């Protein structure tokens, strides 16, 4: 079983408009709702790849109830912890004319000390059943900034490989707890290390505590610095579409490859192919299965000294 932790879950709303024009009213062509937040997106992709997943984190209020209703028919097991505050919404506005997406993210509910303790109580037994755990996304208000560092340490104490996918101070503190893998994008990595050169920044992040670093370069693929070597993986050509969830698909690919014990070049091939196939899908959190299978044969992975 793979466990994904999403402390700041969300109800993802995607609006498609013919053309997004500032200061104008818009007629929406299509609206979709999905249970969201990075870890829930990861779990949804993992189940599509054939892995059993359990999702945990927080859900509350009317938005949280809708999220859990939408999650129920899907394959991930719901182990979300209820809270008094209302789960946030994220709104993606897709411009059909350009394919570009504008994202609006609410902050999330205020989490009390008792609710945080309830989560920790639920986390420990879930860890004992997990083959790997992913800690994903932002922290809602009220959760300690060092929360991910605590959760990384608990996973390591349980002997469970842990992937950390967050940013800012939670990433900085979580890194010191020595996660098995971090997956920042280029901007997050630059803010963490002060370097705009991705390979140098990834090496710096690994020196700071991560066992391995896989950095997203957007349309240019991924760069990885690991104990077994350093690689860059690139798609055959840039893809256009809705990038929402592409990073989460890369995390799902890395987790699935980890539990399947694949070599690093195969892990990166899967991650880039799945990420690109997500950009090509019309709805956030989904991926184009046909494009994924085709891209698997086209990803170029090169070793870097």
């Amino acid at each position: 079983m793979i466990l994904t932790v999403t402390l700041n879950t969300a109800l993802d709303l995607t609006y498609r408009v013919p053309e997004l024009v500032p200061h104008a009213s818009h007629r929406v062509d299509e609206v979709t709702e999905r249970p969201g937040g990075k870890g829930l997106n990861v779990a949804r992709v993992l189940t599509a790849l054939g892995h059993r997943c359990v999702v945990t984190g927080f859900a509350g209020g009317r938005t949280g109830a809708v999220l859990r209703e939408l999650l129920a028919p899907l394959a991930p097991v719901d182990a979300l912890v209820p809270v008094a505050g209302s789960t946030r919404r994220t709104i993606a506005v897709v411009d059909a004319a350009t394919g570009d997406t504008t994202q609006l993210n609410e902050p999330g509910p205020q989490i009390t000390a008792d609710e945080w303790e309830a989560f920790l109580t639920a986390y420990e037994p879930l860890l004992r059943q997990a083959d790997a755990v992913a800690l994903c996304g932002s922290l809602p208000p009220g959760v300690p900034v060092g929360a991910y560092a605590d959760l990384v340490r608990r996973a390591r104490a349980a002997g469970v490989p842990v992937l950390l996918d967050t940013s800012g101070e939670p990433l900085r503190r979580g890194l010191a707890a020595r996660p098995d893998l971090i997956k920042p994008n280029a901007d997050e990595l630059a803010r963490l290390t002060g370097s705009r050169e991705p390979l140098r920044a990834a090496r710096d992040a690994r020196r700071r505590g991560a066992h391995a670093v896989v950095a997203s370069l957007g349309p240019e693929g991924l760069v990885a610095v690991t104990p077994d070597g350093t690689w860059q993986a690139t798609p055959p050509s840039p893809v256009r579409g809705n990038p929402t969830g592409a990073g989460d698909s890369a995390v799902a690919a890395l987790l699935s490859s980890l539990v399947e014990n694949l070599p690093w070049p195969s892990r990166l091939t899967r991650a880039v192919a799945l990420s690109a196939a997500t950009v090509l899908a019309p709805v956030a959190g989904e991926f184009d299965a046909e494009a994924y299978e085709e891209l698997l044969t086209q990803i170029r992975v090169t070793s870097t000294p």
Side-chain angles (χ1 to χ4, degrees):
M1 177 270 277
I2 298 176
L3 176 65
T4 71
V5 175
T6 313
L7 297 177
N8 210 6
T9 57
L11 180 64
D12 287 345
L13 305 175
T14 302
Y15 296 155
R16 293 185 65 85
V17 298
E19 183 179 7
L20 184 61
V21 181
H23 316 297
S25 297
H26 295 79
R27 187 175 299 277
V28 177
D29 290 339
E30 181 183 1
V31 181
T32 58
E33 288 184 322
R34 293 287 188 277
K38 294 178 74 66
L40 268 67
N41 291 336
V42 169
R44 189 162 54 246
V45 175
L46 280 168
T47 56
L49 295 174
H51 290 271
R52 179 174 176 267
C53 291
V54 175
V55 297
T56 190
F58 296 115
R62 286 186 294 178
T63 307
V66 173
L67 181 150
R68 299 185 86 159
E69 288 174 8
L70 293 171
L71 184 63
L74 304 179
V77 176
D78 179 353
L80 296 168
V81 175
V83 294
S86 185
T87 295
R88 68 190 178 123
R89 297 164 298 177
T90 67
I91 300 172
V93 183
V94 180
D95 184 329
T98 64
D100 293 335
T101 301
T102 299
Q103 190 84 15
L104 304 173
N105 297 329
E106 296 179 355
Q110 181 74 32
I111 304 300
T112 68
D114 287 345
E115 289 166 342
W116 176 239
E117 285 302 319
F119 171 80
L120 293 177
T121 300
Y123 180 63
E124 294 284 356
L126 291 172
L127 270 182
R128 291 194 289 270
Q129 306 170 44
D131 299 310
V133 58
L135 310 176
C136 301
S138 61
L139 300 179
V143 171
V145 70
Y148 281 137
D150 184 11
L151 299 184
V152 168
R153 293 187 189 99
R154 291 172 188 249
R156 289 180 58 81
V160 180
V162 56
L163 183 154
L164 178 61
D165 183 17
T166 187
S167 60
E169 191 62 21
L171 173 59
R172 190 180 307 277
R173 297 200 186 193
L175 194 58
R178 304 188 66 80
D180 293 270
L181 175 62
I182 64 169
K183 207 250 11 117
N185 61 36
D187 287 340
E188 292 163 348
L189 195 58
R191 289 195 294 270
L192 175 70
T193 65
S195 174
R196 300 297 306 184
E197 201 288 302
L199 184 56
R200 178 183 301 171
R203 286 173 170 150
D204 186 2
R206 186 164 183 260
R207 284 193 295 269
R208 295 180 186 216
H211 190 64
V213 179
V214 176
S216 172
L217 307 180
E220 298 176 11
L222 298 169
V223 63
V225 178
T226 81
D228 299 327
T230 300
W231 291 274
Q232 184 162 353
T234 55
S237 59
V239 295
R240 292 188 62 83
N242 183 355
T244 305
D248 303 331
S249 288
V251 169
L254 293 168
L255 278 170
S256 65
S257 301
L258 184 155
V259 299
E260 294 171 30
N261 200 31
L262 297 182
W264 273 104
S266 297
R267 299 185 194 191
L268 299 175
T269 295
R270 182 180 290 184
V272 173
L274 198 54
S275 179
T278 301
V279 174
L280 294 170
V283 177
E286 306 287 344
F287 67 92
D288 185 320
E290 289 186 9
Y292 170 58
E293 293 296 333
E294 183 176 347
L295 284 161
L296 280 173
T297 66
Q298 300 175 2
I299 304 304
R300 181 168 179 259
V301 180
T302 55
S303 178
T304 303

